[in-house]
Amino acid sequence: MAMLAAVRRRELDVQRYPMAVVILTPLTAIFLQAYVPHYVAKFDLIDLPLLVVIYFSVGWRNPIAGTITGALVGLIEDALTSRPLGINGIAKCVVGFCAGSLGVKIDVENPGARLLINFAFSLLNIFIYLFVLHRMLALHLQTNWVQEIIKAVINAIVGVFVFDVLDRIRRRE
Amino acid sequence: MDSFLSGYKNLLVLVGVLLAQVIGLAMQIRRPNPAAPDVPPVRLIRLWAVGLFSPPEEFLQGAGRGLRSAWANYLDLRGARRENRQLQEQIARLRLEQAALLEDARQGQRLQQLLAFKEHYVYRTVPAQIIGTSGTDQSRVLYIDKGSADGLRPDMAVITPDGIVGKLKDVFPHTAQVLEISDQTSGTGILLEETRLRGVLRGNALGQPQVINMLPDERVKPGERVITSGGDQIFPRGLAVGVVDRVAPDAQNPPFMDILVKPAANLGHLEELLIITQTSDRMPAEDRRDLAQSEAAGVAAERQQRASDILAERLPGIGDPNPNAAGGAADSQAVSLTGVVAPPPQPPPPLHTDRYSPDATPPAADLIPGKPFTVMPVPLAGDAGSRGTAGAKPKPQSGADAPGARAAKPAGESKDASGGPAARPLDRPANRPAKAPANGAAQ
C-alpha cells in the first residue's frame, strides 16, 4: 500500500520540462563553468553542472534519466579538462542515479531539504571523483579534504539559489 | 526474466553506463607503446566539446576585447603622452643597462662555445588570447584562441613577459589547451638560481606550484629566484618561473621537502600569452638589432662620459677650487641651480711677493750673467695693516724650496715634497743657476 502511494505521488509530482530547457540548461551551466573562472578566480569552487544534474534528477524522479544526464554532463566536463574522459562522467552518473532515486522519497521543494541533498551529493561527487582518480587511474595527486568540504558547503548554499532560479524558469515555461 | 529486468531496470542501466565508462577509461590509460607517436590523438568527444563551447567563448571574449579596446584607444587616453614619455625614458635606460651587460653576456657565450653548450634563444612566438578554462580547480587548464592553423603543436611552451605559464596539451584547429604549471599533472624542469639546485615543478592540491622531491637543504630561502633549467626540452633555459615562497617538509614523503613557489606570471589574471613556436641557437634578428642599438647607445654614452671627464680635467673645477675666494660658493650654487656654467674663478691673491709676481723681477738690462738677482718688493693690493709690507720683510721659504735646500741639488734633479721632479719655473732659463740669493729674498 505504501509503495503504491509512493508510485502515485511520483506520477503526480514528476516535473516535466520542455526539451529546449533540458538541453540548454546543462550546456549553459557547463559554458558558465568554463567561461566565468577566467574572470572570477574562485568561481571554480562552484560546480554548476553538478547542481543542474541534481536538480533535474530529483525533479524527474527517474533514476535512469538521472544516470544518463549525469553521464553526459560529466563526459562533456571531462572533455574540457586535461584528464581522461570518464572521471566526472562516472561521478555524476552515480550522483544522478542517487538523486533520481531519492526524489521519489523526499519533498524537494523545501529549501532546507535542498540544502542538505546538495551538500550530501556534492560530497558524494567529490568522493567518487577522487576514488576514480586515485584508485582506478592510480594518479597519486594531493587532496585537500578541508577545501573539498568547503566546496561542498559552498555548492549546497549556491544550489538553493540555483534551484530557485530553475524553478522560476520551469513555471514560466 | 522479464520481471527481473523490470525490477532491476534502474540498477542495470546504472551498471551498464558505469561499465561503458570504465572500459573507456581503461582504453585511455594504456601502457605506453614505443611504436606509437608521442602525442596522443585527440578524442572525438573532446573535439566536439571544444567545438561546441569555443565559438561562444571567442565571441564573448572578442566583444569584451572590442569594448575594452574602444575605451582604451579612444576614450581613456588621459596620461598617454606622459606614459609614452616615461616608457621612452625607460627604454633608454634599459638600453644602457643592456649595453653594460653585453660584455658579460658575450663572455658567457664564448665560454659556452668552449664547452660546446648550445644556447636556445626564443626565436619566434605567437601571441594568443585566453578564451576559457576547464571550469574546475581539479584541472588547471586554459583555452586560447589559436590552434594548429596558426602553427601550434602539443608540448610547446607558453609564457608571458613576466614568466612561464605552462605548455600546450591538446591542439585543435582554432583552439588549444594550455596546461598550467600549477596543475598537479604538469612537470617543469627548474633551477634555483643561487643554490643551483635542480628539481621538478608541479602544482599542489591548492593550485600552487611547488618543487617536489627535494632533499632538505638549509641554503634554500624564501625569495630565491627560480628559473627554467631547460631539462624538460619544452622551456628554454633561463626563463623566469617565480620566487621561493616558503619551504616545508613533505609530510607524505619524509625526508623530502616541498619548496612552494610564487609564480612570476600572475596565473590568476592572465589575458594574453605567448607561445614559443621556434627556438634557435642563433639570436633572432630583431634581438640582434635591439642589441646593436643598445651597444651604440652605450658607446655613445661612454664617449660622452669620456668627453665630460676630459673637459672636467682641462677646465678649472667649479666645485671648490678656491673656498676663500669671495663668491665661490655662490657661483657653484648658481651652476647647480641654473645649469649655466659660470666663468672660471680667479686665482687667489698672493700673500707675499715672489719672483713670479709681476714687476718683481728687475729689468733685463739690470741683470748681470752669473749674478743672482734680488726680488723687488712690490706692494700688494689689500696687503696692509697687520700683515705689513710683504716685500719689505720677505719670509724665507722652508723645506725644499728653501734657499739652502735648493742649493744642494742641481737644477734638473730637484724634487718636490711628493718625490716627483720639481717643476722648473717657466720664466727661468735652464742654464740659470737655481741657487737663491743668500739674503733669503728669493721668494
Side-chain angles (χ1 to χ4, degrees):
Chain A
M1 190 65 187
M3 181 179 269
L4 193 63
V7 169
R8 277 182 190 161
R9 190 161 69 83
R10 188 181 70 183
E11 286 172 352
L12 286 174
D13 293 346
V14 166
Q15 312 292 345
R16 299 199 181 278
Y17 306 95
M19 187 56 75
V21 172
V22 171
I23 293 172
L24 286 180
T25 306
L27 291 181
T28 307
I30 297 170
F31 173 77
L32 290 175
Q33 191 70 43
Y35 186 71
V36 178
H38 177 43
Y39 299 98
V40 185
K42 292 295 174 190
F43 191 85
D44 55 11
L45 292 175
I46 302 169
D47 196 343
L48 277 182
L50 173 72
L51 296 175
V52 169
V53 168
I54 296 171
Y55 178 81
F56 280 115
S57 303
V58 167
W60 280 327
R61 301 176 193 283
N62 185 343
I64 294 176
T67 302
I68 293 169
T69 306
L72 289 177
V73 168
L75 281 173
I76 295 174
E77 271 194 285
D78 282 330
L80 295 176
T81 69
S82 60
R83 304 273 165 79
L85 297 170
I87 307 176
N88 269 304
I90 290 174
K92 288 195 168 57
C93 160
V94 175
V95 169
F97 176 83
C98 296
S101 306
L102 197 71
V104 184
K105 299 185 172 92
I106 63 168
D107 177 18
V108 290
E109 301 288 332
N110 186 306
R114 285 179 169 183
L115 190 77
L116 282 176
I117 62 169
N118 282 337
F119 179 72
F121 285 134
S122 295
L123 275 184
L124 179 66
N125 179 63
I126 291 165
F127 179 77
I128 298 171
Y129 181 91
L130 294 175
F131 175 81
V132 174
L133 214 59
H134 288 263
R135 300 294 171 192
M136 294 175 70
L137 299 179
L139 290 174
H140 299 293
L141 306 177
Q142 295 179 7
T143 303
N144 189 326
W145 283 104
V146 176
Q147 191 191 4
E148 301 302 334
I149 290 170
I150 291 171
K151 277 168 64 178
V153 172
I154 291 172
N155 274 313
I157 295 167
V158 172
V160 175
F161 296 100
V162 171
F163 280 23
D164 192 50
V165 171
L166 293 173
D167 280 345
R168 290 170 197 271
I169 293 172
R170 188 191 69 201
R171 284 181 199 128
R172 193 172 295 169
E173 293 292 336
Chain B
M1 186 65 183
D2 287 344
S3 62
F4 175 80
L5 288 178
S6 60
Y8 294 97
K9 187 173 64 179
N10 296 341
L11 211 55
L12 287 173
V13 170
L14 174 68
V15 169
V17 173
L18 282 177
L19 199 61
Q21 292 188 84
V22 170
I23 292 170
L25 269 178
M27 287 174 67
Q28 293 172 73
I29 313 295
R30 287 179 298 191
R31 287 178 188 280
N33 182 3
D38 289 341
V39 181
V42 174
R43 303 279 163 198
L44 206 54
I45 186 169
R46 228 183 264 280
L47 190 64
W48 289 343
V50 172
L52 185 66
F53 291 108
S54 290
E57 283 175 343
E58 275 188 76
F59 173 76
L60 284 177
Q61 181 71 22
R65 197 165 58 236
L67 283 174
R68 283 197 301 273
S69 168
W71 172 259
N73 291 337
Y74 297 105
L75 300 174
D76 188 27
L77 284 176
R78 291 171 304 162
R81 204 179 295 274
R82 191 183 65 235
E83 191 181 10
N84 185 39
R85 196 171 60 246
Q86 287 173 349
L87 289 173
Q88 295 283 358
E89 289 169 1
Q90 191 179 10
I91 288 173
R93 197 172 63 248
L94 290 175
R95 279 197 192 291
L96 289 177
E97 286 177 15
Q98 193 178 20
L101 294 171
L102 192 62
E103 195 51 42
D104 290 344
R106 284 190 175 145
Q107 188 181 5
Q109 286 168 0
R110 281 195 295 271
L111 291 172
Q112 285 174 355
Q113 282 174 357
L114 284 175
L115 295 170
F117 186 91
K118 289 191 83 175
E119 178 69 82
H120 288 283
Y121 293 101
V122 176
Y123 202 77
R124 192 172 295 159
T125 57
V126 172
Q129 296 267 346
I130 296 172
I131 57 171
T133 68
S134 70
T136 169
D137 61 347
Q138 298 282 348
S139 177
R140 309 275 172 178
V141 163
L142 300 170
Y143 281 88
I144 56 173
D145 62 348
K146 298 282 169 61
S148 55
D150 302 287
L152 305 190
R153 289 194 314 276
D155 285 341
M156 281 181 169
V158 182
I159 61 171
T160 67
D162 296 327
I164 65 168
V165 173
K167 65 174 183 178
L168 293 185
K169 194 140 195 304
D170 288 333
V171 178
F172 308 99
H174 301 288
T175 314
Q177 200 181 51
V178 179
L179 185 69
E180 290 185 272
I181 54 171
S182 55
D183 189 89
Q184 291 202 59
T185 57
S186 73
T188 307
I190 59 97
L191 181 68
L192 297 176
E193 198 175 50
E194 290 173 20
T195 52
R196 312 308 289 177
L197 293 174
R198 287 173 180 270
V200 176
L201 184 87
R202 65 172 45 166
N204 62 14
L206 295 172
Q208 185 174 16
Q210 65 179 31
V211 187
I212 56 166
N213 295 340
M214 294 285 284
L215 285 169
D217 194 321
E218 290 179 352
R219 292 175 300 163
V220 181
K221 301 286 182 201
E224 183 173 355
R225 283 189 74 221
V226 183
I227 57 174
T228 53
S229 68
D232 52 20
Q233 301 291 313
I234 292 174
F235 293 99
R237 193 172 63 97
L239 295 179
V241 176
V243 293
V244 174
D245 191 15
R246 62 191 168 90
V247 182
D250 189 347
Q252 294 176 348
N253 299 314
F256 292 113
M257 64 175 180
D258 289 334
I259 300 174
L260 292 149
V261 175
K262 185 181 178 189
N266 189 352
L267 299 179
H269 294 89
L270 293 169
E271 286 288 333
E272 291 176 345
L273 303 172
L274 293 170
I275 295 97
I276 300 174
T277 53
Q278 191 181 352
T279 57
S280 171
D281 53 356
R282 291 187 63 234
M283 191 179 282
E286 199 173 339
D287 286 7
R288 286 203 300 271
R289 202 164 47 243
D290 282 350
L291 211 56
Q293 281 183 5
S294 297
E295 198 173 11
V299 170
E302 196 178 351
R303 275 185 191 156
Q304 195 177 359
Q305 182 71 28
R306 278 186 196 157
S308 64
D309 287 346
I310 292 168
L311 210 60
E313 282 174 8
R314 286 183 178 174
L315 289 176
I318 56 173
D320 189 20
N322 181 16
N324 295 327
D331 285 348
S332 60
Q333 192 180 7
V335 169
S336 62
L337 290 176
T338 60
V340 178
V341 177
Q346 296 297 318
L351 297 176
H352 54 81
T353 55
D354 58 13
R355 60 184 172 180
Y356 303 111
S357 301
D359 303 329
T361 312
D366 298 343
L367 295 175
I368 300 168
K371 186 179 180 184
F373 63 88
T374 52
V375 175
M376 303 288 289
V378 178
L380 296 171
D383 193 10
S386 63
R387 256 200 232 172
T389 308
K393 289 184 179 179
K395 296 176 183 176
Q397 294 292 306
S398 63
D401 286 342
R406 180 160 299 201
K409 294 177 183 177
E413 294 176 10
S414 65
K415 294 204 172 207
D416 63 3
S418 63
R424 192 170 58 198
L426 294 174
D427 59 346
R428 189 180 69 195
N431 57 357
R432 181 178 290 182
K435 191 175 178 180
N439 61 2
Q443 298 199 24

